Amino acid sequence: MMFGVYVGGFLFILAGTLAYTGRWKGWAFARPVLSYGIGFGCLYMGIAVVLGWTAATVLPDSMNILFIILVSISGALVLLTLISQWWLPRFLQPRWFRELRAEQHRTYGPGWGRKA
């Protein structure tokens, strides 16, 4: 089981890295409803899974400060994963993504993707 969790986490990290570098862009053409930053969310979730699972298996003592730090970082990354489905701060968006969104905004108008 431990091996599977790490493989899954590292596959999420790989997918997120491909999304950030612009090598995987297929997800970015969807309308921004629960898919705004799904590619980027893969990276955050992968890191959260690896950190959280490491904290839970390697550091079982819940009073250990390193355990608390890793679990806190993992929780923050899960929260960032959820938030990224609707919005991401500009500094977390790569240039290709900002340019794509600006082009879509020019093409489809300011309210594209919203229900009428």
Side-chain angles (χ1 to χ4, degrees):
M1 171 131 175
M2 187 173 186
F3 178 74
V5 172
Y6 281 116
V7 168
F10 284 116
L11 287 175
F12 269 111
I13 291 171
L14 175 64
T17 301
L18 291 174
Y20 261 103
T21 60
R23 297 188 195 285
W24 176 41
K25 294 181 181 178
W27 59 271
F29 294 97
R31 293 183 181 258
V33 178
L34 287 179
S35 64
Y36 182 82
I38 198 167
F40 307 139
C42 287
L43 178 64
Y44 311 137
M45 184 56 79
I47 295 170
V49 165
V50 171
L51 285 179
W53 192 258
T54 300
T57 58
V58 177
L59 305 167
D61 182 10
S62 62
M63 297 309 288
N64 188 339
I65 189 69
L66 186 56
F67 174 87
I68 294 169
I69 291 170
L70 288 178
V71 169
S72 298
I73 292 170
S74 181
L77 287 169
V78 168
L79 184 61
L80 183 58
T81 299
L82 295 173
I83 292 171
S84 75
Q85 304 314 298
W86 291 279
W87 172 79
L88 265 180
R90 187 170 173 82
F91 71 90
L92 289 177
Q93 299 173 12
R95 181 184 302 169
W96 71 264
F97 186 75
R98 291 190 308 265
E99 290 171 354
L100 174 69
R101 290 298 180 185
E103 181 182 329
Q104 289 173 339
H105 184 77
R106 283 191 301 272
T107 303
Y108 300 111
W112 81 279
R114 296 187 188 147
K115 291 185 178 181

